[in-house]
């Protein structure tokens, strides 16, 4: 277990914001986590549980204790005629899990390839990409209750997943620390190809019926072409959530902008890419000081070198204002701003 006072969080956030916390604790087992929880003093508050920091934006030093899981392990725990069930430590890197699933012939996570972050965060955030959300794979989430230190577990339904949301982000926020997540992977490959430019990217590689490995490679290629390397330009991937609007609102916009992209949610709502809205407001490739919008994907805000969290927030707020003024749509950050 690692337990350090006055600790730099520079390596623990992909925006590359140089802030510090009063105390940093990294645990490798449920037992270590329970020991930490039982020994917390009032001066250790408030608590913050982080993964790889790929969905965080720090605007100041953190005044309390930052907890990070280093619980590893991937275990095949069950199997039936349809699924393989794997239990993963919350400190495992998510993309490593996807790679293992593809190599073993466990299907369903291919479209979630190269999403940054760790297993624990996947269950908090309900990560998703290219028409797939991790909620469709999660069976059970294990955690430790902070107040009592007791182990608890939750079913998928109990977590109340929705678009980039779960109870861990809402009414359970600050109550539990995730230790393990169990996923159900299909024994049969059913590719999801009808989102974004997946089919076009496959066609460019002369692939019409991809294998899981080919689909994963294609997703990775698409993401790498659009998203900057955090080691070069600090970023948290997609900064904004794609807004869901009423069918009436969508039709109003479609009359003014016939080329507006959209994805049908149900008979009453449409999802509109936030990146398209931001691009149409003229923000792609622009900057305000040291904070900017990526020149290949307007959904991504970047630290161009030396930006503070406040610089990124100011850019975020300015973009949100412009999108609201132009389209009458409020876009919301996907990134957790602290």
């Amino acid at each position: 277990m690692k337990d350090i006072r006055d600790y730099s969080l520079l390596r623990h956030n992909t925006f590359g914001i140089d802030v510090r916390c009063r105390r940093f604790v990294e645990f490798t087992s449920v037992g270590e986590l329970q020991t930490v929880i039982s020994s917390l003093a009032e001066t250790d508050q408030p608590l913050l549980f982080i993964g790889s920091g790929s969905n965080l934006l720090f605007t100041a030093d953190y005044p309390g204790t930052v907890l990070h899981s280093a619980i590893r392990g991937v275990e095949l725990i069950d199997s039936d005629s349809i699924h393989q069930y794997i239990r993963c430590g919350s400190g495992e890197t998510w993309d490593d899990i996807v790679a293992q699933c593809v190599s073993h012939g466990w299907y369903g996570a291919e479209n979630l390839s190269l999403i940054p972050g760790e297993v624990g965060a996947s269950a908090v955030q309900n990560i998703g990409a290219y028409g797939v959300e991790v909620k469709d794979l999660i069976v059970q989430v294990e955690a430790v209750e902070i107040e009592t230190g007791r182990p608890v577990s939750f079913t998928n339904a109990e977590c109340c997943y929705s678009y980039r949301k779960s109870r861990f982000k809402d009414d359970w926020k600050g109550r539990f620390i995730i230790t393990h997540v169990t996923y159900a992977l299909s024994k049969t490959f059913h590719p999801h190809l009808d989102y974004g430019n997946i089919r076009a990217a496959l066609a460019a590689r002369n692939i019409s019926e991809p294998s899981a490995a080919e689909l994963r490679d294609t997703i990775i290629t698409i993401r790498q072409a659009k998203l900057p390397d955090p080691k070069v330009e600090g970023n948290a991937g997609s900064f904004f959530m794609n807004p869901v609007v009423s069918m009436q609102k969508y039709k109003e916009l479609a009359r003014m902008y016939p080329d507006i992209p959209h994805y049908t949610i149900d008979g009453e709502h449409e999802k509109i890419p936030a990146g398209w809205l931001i691009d149409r407001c003229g923000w792609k490739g622009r900057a305000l000081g040291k904070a900017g919008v990526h020149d290949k994907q307007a959904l991504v805000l970047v630290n161009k070198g030396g930006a503070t969290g406040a610089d990124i927030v100011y850019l975020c707020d300015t973009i949100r204002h412009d999108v609201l003024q132009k389209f009458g749509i409020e876009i919301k950050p996907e990134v957790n701003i602290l």
Side-chain angles (χ1 to χ4, degrees):
M1 184 169 65
K2 180 186 295 184
D3 190 341
I4 304 174
R5 303 281 176 169
D6 188 26
Y7 183 80
S8 172
L9 295 170
L10 180 62
R11 295 188 301 107
H12 295 275
N13 73 97
T14 57
F15 256 116
I17 306 297
D18 192 7
V19 295
R20 307 184 75 82
C21 62
R22 182 181 297 169
R23 182 185 181 191
F24 179 84
V25 179
E26 186 175 76
F27 53 92
T28 62
S29 68
V30 173
E32 286 186 353
L33 173 57
Q34 291 172 312
T35 298
V36 171
I37 289 174
S38 66
S39 66
L40 289 172
E42 188 66 31
T43 54
D44 293 317
Q45 301 294 333
L47 303 180
L48 174 66
F49 177 55
I50 66 171
S52 63
S54 59
N55 201 48
L56 290 176
L57 175 60
F58 287 104
T59 59
D61 288 343
Y62 192 73
T65 301
V66 172
L67 298 165
H68 177 252
S69 172
I71 297 176
R72 311 292 187 196
V74 179
E75 179 186 6
L76 179 61
I77 60 170
D78 200 1
S79 177
D80 58 31
S81 60
I82 300 174
H83 295 109
Q84 300 276 17
Y85 299 89
I86 60 170
R87 179 176 181 259
C88 305
S90 57
E92 289 283 347
T93 298
W94 169 252
D95 193 55
D96 290 347
I97 300 301
V98 180
Q100 288 188 51
C101 289
V102 171
S103 67
H104 284 89
W106 306 334
Y107 305 116
E110 305 82 30
N111 289 42
L112 305 179
S113 293
L114 210 65
I115 292 180
E118 297 174 357
V119 161
S122 79
V124 173
Q125 185 74 7
N126 184 24
I127 58 173
Y130 300 102
V132 176
E133 292 181 312
V134 79
K135 71 175 177 62
D136 299 321
L137 306 176
I138 291 175
V139 175
Q140 178 177 267
V141 179
E142 297 170 58
V144 169
E145 186 176 43
I146 294 174
E147 184 177 353
T148 64
R150 68 185 179 95
V152 292
S153 64
F154 303 102
T155 64
N156 182 301
E158 288 173 320
C159 296
C160 296
Y161 287 115
S162 60
Y163 177 55
R164 301 298 179 271
K165 286 187 178 181
S166 73
R167 294 186 73 181
F168 295 107
K169 290 186 69 175
D170 296 326
D171 56 314
W172 287 349
K173 187 174 182 179
R175 289 183 57 193
F176 304 101
I177 297 177
I178 294 174
T179 59
H180 296 86
V181 182
T182 298
Y183 306 97
L185 287 307
S186 175
K187 292 183 174 181
T188 306
F189 181 47
H190 299 289
H192 297 271
L193 307 178
D194 295 320
Y195 198 98
N197 57 340
I198 295 177
R199 287 192 183 276
L202 288 168
R205 303 172 71 178
N206 296 314
I207 300 172
S208 58
E209 297 183 4
S211 66
E214 288 171 333
L215 177 55
R216 170 172 161 76
D217 288 344
T218 300
I219 295 292
I220 289 173
T221 299
I222 293 171
R223 290 184 66 89
Q224 288 178 331
K226 293 196 303 182
L227 301 176
D229 184 346
K231 296 177 183 177
V232 178
E233 282 189 314
N235 71 91
S238 299
F239 195 92
F240 298 97
M241 293 188 287
N242 294 320
V244 175
V245 302
S246 68
M247 184 62 70
Q248 180 181 351
K249 178 64 176 179
Y250 161 71
K251 289 179 178 178
E252 291 174 1
L253 291 171
R255 284 194 290 269
M256 293 184 287
Y257 308 97
D259 63 332
I260 187 170
H262 62 102
Y263 303 95
T264 300
I265 302 300
D266 51 38
E268 299 179 353
H269 297 88
E270 296 283 330
K271 182 187 294 184
I272 299 175
W276 185 90
L277 299 171
I278 296 166
D279 189 6
R280 279 303 183 101
C281 288
W283 276 103
K284 183 187 284 186
R286 287 178 57 193
L288 289 179
K290 297 176 180 179
V293 180
H294 189 44
D295 58 2
K296 294 181 180 178
Q297 172 53 270
L299 200 57
V300 179
L301 304 190
V302 296
N303 180 351
K304 300 182 74 67
T308 65
D311 293 333
I312 305 293
V313 170
Y314 180 66
L315 175 62
C316 163
D317 290 344
T318 305
I319 291 171
R320 293 182 68 195
H321 172 270
D322 287 359
V323 170
L324 182 61
Q325 289 291 105
K326 186 176 182 67
F327 296 104
I329 294 176
E330 183 179 5
I331 58 173
K332 298 179 180 180
E334 178 177 333
V335 170
N336 296 309
I337 300 173
L338 297 169

